[in-house]
Amino acid sequence: MAEAAPHHPALPSGLLELCALLGAPRDSLPSPEQVAQRKGVKGPSSLDPAVLSVFVPPFVMKEDSQLAGMNCTTLGKNRKRSFRKKRERPRAELGKGVPGGPRGPDPEDVSIPNGVDLLALPQLCFPGGLCVASEPREDCVHFLVLTDVCGNRTYGVVAQYYRPLHDEYCFYNGKTHWEASGLGGSAAGCFVPFAVCVVSRFPYYNALKDCLSCLLTHLKFCKDFEVDNHIKDFAAKLCLIPSPPPGPLHLIFNMKPLQIVFPSRADPESPLIDLDLHLPLLCFRPEKVLQILACLLTEQRVVFFSSSWALLTLVAECFMAYLHPLQWQHTFVPILSGQMLDFLMAPTSFLMGCHLDHFEEVSKEADGLILINIDNGNITYSNDEEVDVPDIPLLAAQTFIQRVQSLQLHHELDLAHLCTSTDVNEGRASRRAWQQQLNCQIQQMTLQLLVSIFREVKNHLNYEHRVFNSEEFLKTRALGDQQFYKQVLDTYMFHAFLKARLSRRMDAFAQMDLHTQSEEDRINGMLLSPRRPTIEKMASRKSSAPHAAHRRMVVSMPNLQDITVPELPPRNSSLRKIQTMECGSSCAVLDVPPKSTHTFKIPEIHFPLVAQCVQAFYTDCVAQLSKAMGSLAPENSVLLARYFYLRGLVQLMQGHLLGALLDFQSLYKTDMRIFPADLVQTTVESLSAPERTQAERTPELRRLISEVMDRPVDTPKADDRVKNFELPKKHMQLDDFVKRVQESGIVKDAGVIHRLFEALTVGHQKQIDPETFKDFYNCWKEAEAEAQEVSLPLSVMEQLDKNECVYKLSRSVKTNRGVGKIAMTQKRLFLLTEGRPGYVEISTFRNIEDVRSTMATFLLLRIPTLKIKTASKKEVFEANLKTECDLWHLMVKEMWAGRKLADDHKDPQYVQQALTHILLMDAVVGTLQSPGAIYAASKLSYFDRMKNEMPMAVPKTTSETLKHKINPSAGETAPQAIDVLLYTPGHLDPAEKVEDAHPKLWCALNEGKVIVFDASSWTIHQHCFRVGTSRLNCMVMAEQSQVWVGSEDSVIYIINIHSMSCNKQLTDHRSSVTGLAVQDGVQATSTVYSCSTDGTVLAWNASSLRVTGRFQVPGGGLSAIRLHGGRLWCCTGDSILVVNMNGSPCQELKIDRSFKETGTSFLGFQLMPEQEQLWAACAGYPDVYVWSLQDLAQPPQRIHLQDCSEINCMIRVKKQIWVGATGLSQGRLKGKIYVMDAERRTVEKELAAHTDTVKTLCSAEDRYVLSGAGREEGKIAIWKVE
C-alpha cells in the first residue's frame, strides 16, 4: 500500500454538502412479467423510495498519491468518495451506515453532514410517492429546507427524471438485466423515476436548479453503470466551487451547456437571494400578501398549499426574505410528504407546506391553522374557525399596496421592443439583470413596510438599561392598530428585533430608518426636552381629519382585503407600471438602483479528479484571481477584498497556509467586514513549527497571529435581555431612582434626575417610596397625553413657527387682555382667548424684562396674580392665575433664564433643558399636592438660580466671536469629553445624495465613538458608530473620500465618507497612533504619514493603502508630525526633530535647559511658514514659545498667557495661533481660548470658551474654529475667525 497523501481539508465555504441519487431499490422493481400483467390496470404502481448512492466531499482519495507523477489526462479510474447501497440489502440497514459497493470506501470513511437525515430524505425527494409511469414524463425540480437540532439550515434542490425500466441501455453491475435473470426481450411502457438531490449550506435555488438541469442531459441517456460516475464528477465539481463572499462579486462556472451564476449576498448582514422574489406578488393580491405577513409577524401556525411542490418552498422563502431583518424563529418545513402530515398537529408556531391534495384532510383534522392556497390566492382557516389575525397598520398597508402596484412584474413587457437573443446564455444574463433589479425594488419595498410599522419603537427604548416601555408604545398607536401591536409585541421575532435595536445594530432596518427619517426627526435626535407635537404636525393632523375618520370607521373590520381604500389607484389590469405621482413621494418605491456587480469565471475542472489535477485547478484559480487583481485600480478596494478572500481560500486548499494568511490579512486594508476570524484562527493553530517560525518573521503575520490567538475564547456573553418597564415595588435611594427614571424614558440626564430627587424628597428622608414614584409617573404621562390632544385653531397656528410645540396650557383665567388660557411654547407665551378663539401674544421669552407673583385685590378677596413686563410693550400683562400662579411664576422665570443663557452662550440646549425643568416642576406639584409643593418644585429652577447667583454676563469679546454651540452627548446620561474634531468640506460625488455632499464635522468621543454632524445645519448626520474601543488620538481627511483615524490601540481606522462605514484597518503600527499628516502630491494619489509613540513613522499610499516608506525616530515619545518644506517635523518628548522623507535627520530643536530643570516636555507645535516661525507649548505650562525657523539655535521668545494654568492644544488659522487651555475666568477655572497674532506675537483675544477645559481645536476652511470641551461640559463651540 502506498504512503498516505497529505489530507486535503474540505473547502471552508464550498457549495456542496452532499449529493445523493434516490429511487426504487432493484429488488422492489417489477419484473417484465409483472409489467405485462399490469397492462390495462388503471393507476400507477407505487414503490418505496430509498437512497441508492451518496457522494460527500472530499473526492480525492489516499491512493491518488501513487499516481501523482503521472499525467492526469492518462490516468485510469480513480476511487470514488461515495457509497452505493447494495441493491440486495434491506432498506432498514440505511440507518446503520450503508456498506460500500465493490469499489467504494469503508463505511466509516463516509461522514454524512449534520442536518441531513438519510432516512427522511427519500420521502422529501419523492414527497408525492415514487410511482412507475407508463409513459415518459417531464423532468421536474423542487426545493427543500433541512434543519438540524441546533436550528442550522441546509438547502436541497431535487431533480426528478424518468428512465425506461427494461431496455438495452439499462445495466446492473455491468450486466444487462435479462442476462442476469436469464430472460430475453423487454417490457415496453414502464418508466421509473429517479431523483438527484444536492444539499448545500447556501440557498442557491436557481443556480443549483440550473446545475442539475445540465446533469440530467447526461443522466437520461447514459448506461446504468455510468450514472454514479456522472453524479460523482458533478458533485466533485460543485465541491471545488467556493461560495462567493458578501459583496459585489458573483461567480460564474461553465457547466455545459449553461453558464451557471452563483450570486453573493449584498452584505454580511443580508440573506443570500437566489430566487424570484416577485413570485408571491404573481400568486396573491397585495392585500393578501399583507395578510400573510401579518400572520407571520404575529407568529401563527401557517400552512401553504399548492399543486406544485417547487412553489411551496419558493413562495415560503420569499416571505422569509420579505421579513428581513426580522427572522422567523420557529419550525420551518416548506415541504411535508404525505407521511409527515402529523407534523401539523404541533401546538407551537410553524410555517409548513403541503400538496393541494391534502387540503381537505388538513382543513378538517387540525385546529387553529391558517391555510394559504398558492394556486388560487385564497386564505382560509382550518375547521372554518376564525383565527384572530389582526391587520397590518392601515397607513403602512395603504402605502405598501400602492408601491406594489407601481412595480413592473412582467419581463415580457421589457422585452417587447428587443430582438430575440440567439445566445441562450446572453438571454439568461438579460433576464437575470432584470430579476436582480426587481428583487432589489421588492426588498426595499418590504423593508420600508417594516420601518413604517416599527419606526417609533426606538422612541420607547432605554439603551443604557435595555428597557422597552411597551405600555407607553401601545398608547401611542392608533386605536385600530393596537390589536396588531399587542400580538406582535409578544412574539420571539419582535423580542430578537428589540435586542438588535438596543444593541444599536446598524442592520438594514436601522439604515432604512436613517435614510427615510424626516428633518424633524433628525433635529429631535439632538433635543434633550420631551417631545410634543409641533405646529406643523397639528396642521397636518387637521388637514387629514376626513382620513382619520375613515381610519376610525374601519378599525373594527376583521379582514384587510375587505377594506375599500378610496385613495388607492385602480387595479393595474393592463400590467403596465401604474403612475403614482399623485400619491406623493411616500408611496413610491425608493429609487435605489441595484449596486453594480462583477463576475469572476472559475477555471475549467479537469478529470479524473486526483490530487495532481485538483492542484492544477487550484493553481489556475490563483493565477486567474491574481490576474484579475492586477487589472484593478487600487481604489477599487471593495472588489479587491473579494479577490483576496477567494485567493486566500484557494491557497488554504493548496496547503499554502502562509500565503492564505497574508491574503486574509490584506482584508484589514480592503474590507474588514468579510474577515473570516474563525477560519484564520483554525489556520494559525494548524501551522507546523517551521511555518510558525517563518510567520513570526513576517511583521504583518506576526500582528495577525497575535490578534487572532489573543482573542478571548470563552468571553462571558453580555446580558442582552430586554426588560419591560415596571413601576418600582420598594423604596429607592438616589442611585436606584436615577436608574428607574432613565428606564421610564422621562429624562436621561443624571444631573437633572438628581435635582428631581431633591425636589421629591424635600423635608423627608432621602428616599422615594413606590407610591410617590407611581404618582409622579402618572402625572408626567397624563401631561404628555394632554399635550398630544391639544388642538389649536388654524388662525392661531398661523401666528406660530412650524417647529413650535405647546408644552403647558393653563386653566381658563381672567387677564387684562381678555379671558382665555395661557399657552407656553419653547419660544413664547400667548393667550388663547375664549368665545371666538383667537391669539393674543403675551411675550417671547427673549423680550421679558421682569416676572412677578403678586396679590390683586378684588372686593374683599386677594387673588394671586402673575405680572409679566416686556421690553416691547409699556403695559404689564396681568393674569389672575389663582392656585396656579406660583407654579407659572416658577416656570416662566426658568424659561426666561434658559432663553437668556441660550442667547448669551449661543447654545439652544439651554432652552431644551429649561423645558425639561418646567415639565418636571409641573409633575412634582401634581405629585405632592401639598403646601410645600411649590418650594419642592423650586429645586428644579436650576437656570433661574444660576442667573441670580452668577449675574456676570458672558464677556463681550467671547459673545461677539462665539457663533453657536452643539452637544454631541445629547440624549446620553452624562456629558462625554471631546477627544478629536475634524471638519471635512462638502464634495458632490455622483454616487452621493445632495445632503450627503454637505460639509461634515467629525467628533471623536470616548471609547472609539464617532458622531458626524452636518456642518451646514449643525444637525446630526450619523448617530454614534464605533471605531474600535480605545481612545482616538487624531483624524485627517485623505482623497476626499476617506477619514483616517489614529487610535490608542495602535490601529488606523479608515472611514468611507460616502457610505459612512468603517471597513478598513491599517495594523502596521505597534503602539498608539498619535499623529497623521497628508501630503497632497501633484500626482493623483496623496501620501499619508502616520506616527506612533514608539517613534515609528510610516508613509502610506492613500489609494492602495500600501506602506511606501518607514523609519524610526530615535528616543520615542512621538506625539505629533507636521509637513513643511518637503520635510517632516516630528514632536517627541524632549525635542522637535526635522527629518527628510527617508528619515535622515536634518536638524533638531532640543528642549531648553531652563525647561529641563522642571522635567517638562513639548506638548505640541505649529509652523507659520509665511512668518518663518515655530510656535510650541510645553506640558503643564501657561507659556507659548516662538522660534525663528531661520535659526532654531537662537533662544525662543516666551509669551505668557494671562490667567492660564495649562495649555492643552493649539492650531494655526490664517495668521493667527489659537491656543486651547484651562484658566481663570470670572474667578472660576474654565476652558479658555487665546487667539494670538503671529506677526505681532501678542494675544488678540481671550475667549471664555467652556465650563470645562478645552481639549481639542480644529479649523473649518479658516473661516471658523471649533473647540471641544472636557467631560464636565462635553460641548462643541463654533467661533468666527476675524
Side-chain angles (χ1 to χ4, degrees):
M1 189 74 180
E3 283 285 314
H7 174 65
H8 292 275
L11 189 62
S13 60
L15 290 177
L16 184 82
E17 290 283 287
L18 172 148
C19 185
L21 173 67
L22 303 99
R26 177 190 181 282
D27 51 13
S28 69
L29 290 173
S31 65
E33 293 88 347
Q34 289 171 322
V35 173
Q37 287 170 9
R38 281 194 58 84
K39 279 193 177 178
V41 178
K42 289 186 178 179
S45 57
S46 182
L47 302 170
D48 287 333
V51 178
L52 303 180
S53 300
V54 173
F55 305 88
V56 291
F59 291 89
V60 180
M61 299 304 296
K62 296 175 183 177
E63 54 268 36
D64 290 337
S65 60
Q66 281 180 300
L67 311 168
M70 300 172 59
N71 188 316
C72 65
T73 57
T74 62
L75 293 175
K77 293 282 182 189
N78 55 303
R79 298 274 182 174
K80 284 189 282 186
R81 178 62 165 152
S82 67
F83 73 79
R84 184 172 177 92
K85 182 185 174 189
K86 284 188 177 177
R87 300 179 193 271
E88 301 77 33
R89 295 275 177 168
R91 182 175 176 277
E93 293 193 11
L94 259 175
K96 301 177 187 174
V98 180
R103 294 175 300 170
D106 294 335
E108 58 269 18
D109 259 349
V110 178
S111 58
I112 303 303
N114 291 334
V116 181
D117 180 2
L118 287 183
L119 285 172
L121 195 60
Q123 289 184 42
L124 292 170
C125 290
F126 294 96
L130 190 157
C131 300
V132 176
S134 57
E135 54 187 32
R137 293 187 182 173
E138 275 191 309
D139 304 338
C140 61
V141 176
H142 68 272
F143 310 93
L144 307 175
V145 179
L146 311 170
T147 310
D148 67 13
V149 289
C150 299
N152 302 310
R153 288 178 187 165
T154 48
Y155 304 89
V157 182
V158 182
Q160 287 186 17
Y161 67 101
Y162 284 77
R163 285 170 63 91
L165 177 59
H166 305 295
D167 64 17
E168 63 274 18
Y169 296 110
C170 198
F171 286 75
Y172 294 109
N173 295 326
K175 294 185 177 182
T176 59
H177 178 76
W178 54 87
E179 283 179 288
S181 61
L183 292 170
S186 68
C190 191
F191 295 86
V192 183
F194 291 87
V196 181
C197 175
V198 174
V199 177
S200 173
R201 279 182 295 151
F202 308 98
Y204 281 117
Y205 294 121
N206 285 338
L208 292 176
K209 172 184 171 181
D210 291 346
C211 289
L212 284 169
S213 302
C214 295
L215 173 66
L216 292 193
T217 59
H218 302 293
L219 291 189
K220 284 198 293 187
F221 303 107
C222 71
K223 298 178 181 179
D224 181 63
F225 66 84
E226 296 175 328
V227 168
D228 272 9
N229 281 336
H230 278 296
I231 296 176
K232 189 258 314 181
D233 288 350
F234 167 81
K237 281 184 182 180
L238 289 182
C239 162
L240 293 177
I241 300 172
S243 173
L249 185 65
H250 298 181
L251 299 184
I252 291 185
F253 185 67
N254 187 9
M255 193 59 89
K256 292 180 185 172
L258 299 180
Q259 300 275 358
I260 313 294
V261 175
F262 293 99
S264 59
R265 287 180 285 167
D267 58 67
E269 296 283 334
S270 298
L272 198 158
I273 302 293
D274 186 32
L275 73 169
D276 302 344
L277 287 183
H278 68 297
L279 287 176
L281 304 179
L282 297 175
C283 300
F284 303 99
R285 288 165 45 217
E287 297 84 355
K288 298 284 186 184
V289 171
L290 285 169
Q291 210 175 341
I292 295 167
L293 285 172
C295 293
L296 298 176
L297 287 169
T298 54
E299 293 185 351
Q300 304 292 331
R301 296 158 71 220
V302 179
V303 188
F304 283 106
F305 291 89
S306 176
S307 55
S308 162
W309 293 107
L311 275 181
L312 286 172
T313 302
L314 294 178
V315 169
E317 281 282 38
C318 285
F319 278 104
M320 294 296 100
Y322 292 175
L323 289 176
H324 178 74
L326 277 72
Q327 289 183 316
W328 181 256
Q329 307 276 322
H330 298 279
T331 305
F332 180 59
V333 187
I335 284 186
L336 291 175
S337 66
Q339 297 96 314
M340 297 176 173
L341 292 183
D342 57 332
F343 285 20
L344 297 173
M345 298 301 173
T348 55
S349 304
F350 56 71
L351 195 161
M352 300 192 191
C354 294
H355 197 276
L356 195 58
D357 292 346
H358 303 298
F359 186 89
E360 293 300 326
E361 180 187 351
V362 171
S363 179
K364 288 175 185 172
E365 295 295 327
D367 295 326
L369 302 185
I370 313 285
L371 311 179
I372 301 170
N373 188 329
I374 294 172
D375 294 4
N376 64 16
N378 281 342
I379 301 172
T380 54
Y381 308 103
S382 59
N383 276 327
D384 294 326
E385 296 174 353
E386 190 71 23
V387 180
D388 182 22
V389 181
D391 296 332
I392 295 279
L394 189 66
L395 291 178
Q398 288 178 353
T399 308
F400 177 81
I401 292 167
Q402 289 167 338
R403 285 171 176 159
V404 170
Q405 292 180 335
S406 73
L407 291 175
Q408 172 58 277
L409 300 178
H410 300 272
H411 186 42
E412 292 78 6
L413 294 177
D414 284 351
L415 293 180
H417 68 289
L418 297 176
C419 293
T420 304
S421 174
T422 55
D423 182 326
V424 64
N425 285 314
E426 184 184 292
R428 281 161 49 81
S430 164
R431 161 74 198 210
R432 207 164 36 244
W434 176 84
Q435 189 66 56
Q436 183 189 347
Q437 183 168 359
L438 180 59
N439 281 358
C440 183
Q441 287 179 313
I442 292 171
Q443 284 175 288
Q444 294 292 326
M445 186 180 71
T446 52
L447 186 55
Q448 282 175 295
L449 172 71
L450 293 174
V451 168
S452 61
I453 293 172
F454 297 117
R455 184 196 293 275
E456 290 178 34
V457 164
K458 65 177 182 285
N459 298 339
H460 301 270
L461 296 176
N462 175 261
Y463 295 93
E464 291 75 24
H465 306 294
R466 298 188 67 82
V467 171
F468 173 55
N469 197 331
S470 56
E471 282 187 27
E472 292 305 321
F473 173 70
L474 282 173
K475 285 177 189 174
T476 64
R477 303 300 88 204
L479 199 60
D481 298 337
Q482 286 192 2
Q483 189 55 37
F484 169 82
Y485 284 106
K486 277 178 188 170
Q487 289 195 30
V488 170
L489 263 53
D490 283 337
T491 61
Y492 288 99
M493 195 186 318
F494 182 75
H495 190 72
F497 170 77
L498 278 182
K499 284 184 178 182
R501 295 317 104 216
L502 287 166
S503 301
R504 299 185 188 270
R505 188 181 301 160
M506 273 308 286
D507 56 12
F509 182 95
Q511 289 171 15
M512 177 65 79
D513 184 18
L514 192 68
H515 185 77
T516 55
Q517 74 177 2
S518 64
E519 188 62 27
E520 183 185 345
D521 287 335
R522 201 181 287 269
I523 291 167
N524 278 343
M526 297 181 61
L527 300 184
L528 293 168
S529 61
R531 296 176 182 183
R532 296 291 187 265
T534 61
I535 297 303
E536 187 176 31
K537 276 204 172 155
M538 279 190 206
S540 67
R541 222 157 49 186
K542 281 189 177 292
S543 65
S544 61
H547 171 77
H550 169 70
R551 180 175 182 155
R552 284 195 294 272
M553 184 179 68
V554 299
V555 291
S556 61
M557 297 185 182
N559 293 318
L560 187 65
Q561 70 269 21
D562 298 332
I563 298 172
T564 53
V565 185
E567 292 89 344
L568 297 189
R571 179 80 182 153
N572 190 0
S573 53
S574 72
L575 306 180
R576 293 204 167 276
K577 280 189 185 178
I578 197 154
Q579 298 301 314
T580 55
M581 294 294 287
E582 67 275 8
C583 304
S585 58
S586 64
C587 300
V589 181
L590 261 188
D591 187 20
V592 180
K595 293 173 184 172
S596 60
T597 54
H598 305 265
T599 56
F600 173 72
K601 189 166 183 180
I602 295 168
E604 293 287 333
I605 299 172
H606 301 289
F607 287 91
L609 206 63
V610 293
Q612 187 178 352
C613 293
V614 171
Q615 286 295 331
F617 167 72
Y618 289 148
T619 304
D620 282 352
C621 278
V622 169
Q624 295 286 344
L625 286 164
S626 301
K627 182 180 176 184
M629 292 159 80
S631 64
L632 274 182
E635 58 270 15
N636 199 344
S637 59
V638 173
L639 199 52
L640 193 61
R642 274 70 202 166
Y643 287 134
F644 274 127
Y645 180 95
L646 288 171
R647 194 173 72 178
L649 282 184
V650 176
Q651 294 208 79
L652 208 56
M653 300 308 301
Q654 287 179 296
H656 300 165
L657 302 190
L658 296 185
L661 288 175
L662 280 169
D663 277 340
F664 291 140
Q665 200 274 338
S666 297
L667 294 175
Y668 276 96
K669 295 182 182 180
T670 48
D671 194 343
M672 269 297 295
R673 293 177 303 168
I674 61 171
F675 181 77
D678 292 334
L679 179 60
V680 170
Q681 184 167 355
T682 308
T683 306
V684 169
E685 287 167 353
S686 65
L687 289 174
S688 64
E691 285 173 326
R692 185 66 177 259
T693 307
Q694 190 179 343
E696 294 288 353
R697 286 198 214 105
T698 313
E700 296 93 337
L701 291 185
R702 188 167 64 247
R703 172 68 178 254
L704 180 70
I705 289 169
S706 69
E707 281 193 354
V708 167
M709 300 314 288
D710 291 347
R711 277 200 315 168
V713 185
D714 296 318
T715 49
K717 192 179 177 186
D719 182 11
D720 65 349
R721 289 174 302 168
V722 180
K723 292 174 280 187
N724 209 356
F725 174 70
E726 291 180 353
L727 290 168
K729 295 181 174 62
K730 57 183 182 180
H731 286 66
M732 288 160 286
Q733 304 294 333
L734 176 59
D735 290 346
D736 196 22
F737 179 72
V738 169
K739 181 186 172 188
R740 290 289 188 169
V741 174
Q742 288 172 343
E743 286 181 356
S744 72
I746 290 174
V747 64
K748 282 188 179 181
D749 189 293
V752 176
I753 302 173
H754 283 198
R755 293 192 279 277
L756 174 63
F757 182 80
E758 198 65 31
L760 288 172
T761 56
V762 164
H764 298 92
Q765 191 179 355
K766 292 299 175 188
Q767 63 176 17
I768 290 176
D769 62 89
E771 277 303 311
T772 303
F773 189 95
K774 182 182 177 183
D775 292 344
F776 167 75
Y777 181 79
N778 289 337
C779 282
W780 179 272
K781 290 301 175 184
E782 283 165 16
E784 210 170 53
E786 284 170 15
Q788 297 294 330
E789 296 301 318
V790 169
S791 179
L792 300 178
L794 286 171
S795 59
V796 173
M797 288 194 279
E798 286 168 3
Q799 306 293 321
L800 304 172
D801 295 345
K802 67 176 185 178
N803 63 342
E804 279 187 83
C805 310
V806 175
Y807 283 89
K808 179 69 179 166
L809 207 57
S810 74
R811 297 194 189 102
S812 186
V813 296
K814 181 184 176 186
T815 76
N816 60 346
R817 296 188 196 167
V819 176
K821 295 179 179 179
I822 299 173
M824 177 189 289
T825 74
Q826 66 266 50
K827 188 175 179 180
R828 73 187 87 217
L829 295 166
F830 66 90
L831 185 67
L832 191 60
T833 56
E834 287 192 348
R836 188 178 176 188
Y839 169 89
V840 175
E841 176 146 327
I842 298 168
S843 177
T844 59
F845 292 112
R846 187 175 278 131
N847 262 347
I848 292 177
E849 285 189 345
D850 191 23
V851 181
R852 287 185 184 176
S853 174
T854 62
M855 303 296 283
T857 306
F858 179 73
L859 300 177
L860 297 175
L861 300 174
R862 290 170 63 78
I863 302 169
T865 302
L866 183 70
K867 292 186 176 182
I868 301 173
K869 184 181 179 186
T870 60
S872 55
K873 294 174 184 170
K874 288 183 180 177
E875 186 187 10
V876 174
F877 174 79
E878 294 184 23
N880 298 342
L881 278 159
K882 301 178 183 174
T883 55
E884 288 186 282
C885 187
D886 290 338
L887 175 60
W888 274 87
H889 180 232
L890 279 180
M891 292 194 301
V892 173
K893 284 205 300 179
E894 181 69 3
M895 286 300 296
W896 176 29
R899 179 75 265 172
K900 185 170 187 343
L901 286 167
D903 289 344
D904 289 350
H905 295 273
K906 312 288 175 67
D907 185 356
Q909 293 286 338
Y910 281 109
V911 172
Q912 301 303 327
Q913 204 163 333
L915 281 167
T916 302
H917 291 159
I918 63 117
L919 292 171
L920 289 172
M921 289 177 197
D922 189 28
V924 166
V925 170
T927 302
L928 299 180
Q929 293 184 349
S930 65
I934 295 299
Y935 175 70
S938 69
K939 298 290 181 183
L940 290 155
S941 294
Y942 182 64
F943 294 142
D944 184 43
R945 194 160 55 250
M946 186 190 293
K947 189 180 74 154
N948 295 328
E949 288 173 4
M950 298 187 299
M952 291 170 283
V954 174
K956 186 181 178 188
T957 310
T958 301
S959 183
E960 288 173 350
T961 313
L962 180 62
K963 302 306 292 177
H964 191 59
K965 272 194 179 180
I966 52 178
N967 184 8
S969 303
E972 298 294 328
T973 57
Q976 299 173 57
I978 316 291
D979 289 329
V980 195
L981 291 171
L982 173 70
Y983 171 88
T984 57
H987 292 285
L988 187 56
D989 186 274
E992 284 190 303
K993 303 192 301 293
V994 174
E995 57 268 29
D996 286 345
H998 291 164
K1000 298 180 181 74
L1001 174 66
W1002 304 74
C1003 172
L1005 305 177
N1006 60 330
E1007 296 177 342
K1009 291 184 206 163
V1010 175
I1011 288 180
V1012 187
F1013 288 88
D1014 182 332
S1016 61
S1017 60
W1018 302 119
T1019 56
I1020 288 181
H1021 177 83
Q1022 173 81 42
H1023 279 277
C1024 176
F1025 63 92
R1026 283 201 177 274
V1027 180
T1029 55
S1030 303
R1031 184 182 185 275
L1032 305 178
N1033 295 324
C1034 48
M1035 292 198 284
V1036 77
M1037 183 174 82
E1039 298 280 285
Q1040 294 188 356
S1041 63
Q1042 301 172 0
V1043 167
W1044 291 42
V1045 186
S1047 171
E1048 198 76 22
D1049 63 10
S1050 78
V1051 177
I1052 298 171
Y1053 297 91
I1054 299 179
I1055 302 171
N1056 184 305
I1057 291 178
H1058 305 317
S1059 66
M1060 285 291 157
S1061 56
C1062 178
N1063 302 326
K1064 299 177 187 177
Q1065 299 177 13
L1066 307 180
T1067 58
D1068 296 57
H1069 281 287
R1070 296 292 169 266
S1071 59
S1072 295
V1073 179
T1074 51
L1076 293 164
V1078 181
Q1079 182 181 40
D1080 294 315
V1082 248
Q1083 72 272 27
T1085 306
S1086 306
T1087 301
V1088 181
Y1089 293 88
S1090 61
C1091 69
S1092 53
T1093 49
D1094 60 0
T1096 304
V1097 177
L1098 301 179
W1100 303 86
N1101 180 304
S1103 195
S1104 67
L1105 305 184
R1106 290 195 178 96
V1107 175
T1108 56
R1110 177 193 302 262
F1111 61 87
Q1112 197 77 19
V1113 173
L1118 196 48
S1119 62
I1121 50 173
R1122 300 271 183 275
L1123 283 162
H1124 170 61
R1127 290 174 180 168
L1128 274 174
W1129 294 61
C1130 307
C1131 180
T1132 68
D1134 59 356
S1135 68
I1136 294 173
L1137 186 66
V1138 186
V1139 298
N1140 289 317
M1141 294 309 191
N1142 60 4
S1144 57
C1146 299
Q1147 57 186 134
E1148 184 176 14
L1149 172 63
K1150 278 277 187 188
I1151 209 154
D1152 197 271
R1153 282 181 185 168
S1154 59
F1155 302 141
K1156 270 192 176 177
E1157 289 170 7
T1158 56
T1160 187
S1161 60
F1162 280 120
L1163 173 81
F1165 71 98
Q1166 290 290 333
L1167 296 162
M1168 301 291 288
E1170 295 87 355
Q1171 289 76 27
E1172 294 193 334
Q1173 295 169 352
L1174 183 149
W1175 291 59
C1178 296
Y1181 276 78
D1183 305 303
V1184 176
Y1185 301 88
V1186 186
W1187 280 267
S1188 168
L1189 289 179
Q1190 293 176 343
D1191 187 4
L1192 292 176
Q1194 289 294 320
Q1197 178 184 345
R1198 175 174 171 269
I1199 305 169
H1200 179 70
L1201 302 182
Q1202 191 176 354
D1203 294 332
C1204 174
S1205 56
E1206 185 181 13
I1207 293 173
N1208 302 310
C1209 52
M1210 57 197 300
I1211 61 165
R1212 173 173 67 90
V1213 185
K1214 294 182 179 174
K1215 294 180 180 179
Q1216 296 173 339
I1217 292 286
W1218 288 55
V1219 179
T1222 308
L1224 284 171
S1225 175
Q1226 298 176 335
R1228 292 171 181 262
L1229 211 57
K1230 291 186 177 181
K1232 297 187 74 173
I1233 294 174
Y1234 297 86
V1235 183
M1236 308 182 72
D1237 185 293
E1239 290 177 342
R1240 294 199 292 270
R1241 305 187 187 188
T1242 56
V1243 176
E1244 279 189 336
K1245 291 181 182 178
E1246 195 177 309
L1247 307 173
H1250 298 278
T1251 54
D1252 195 3
T1253 183
V1254 177
K1255 287 202 69 178
T1256 181
L1257 294 165
C1258 87
S1259 167
E1261 301 174 0
D1262 281 354
R1263 294 191 299 133
Y1264 298 98
V1265 167
L1266 299 106
S1267 60
R1271 60 177 302 179
E1272 292 299 316
E1273 180 188 295
K1275 291 182 180 178
I1276 298 168
I1278 300 146
W1279 308 88
K1280 188 178 180 183
V1281 176
E1282 297 298 335

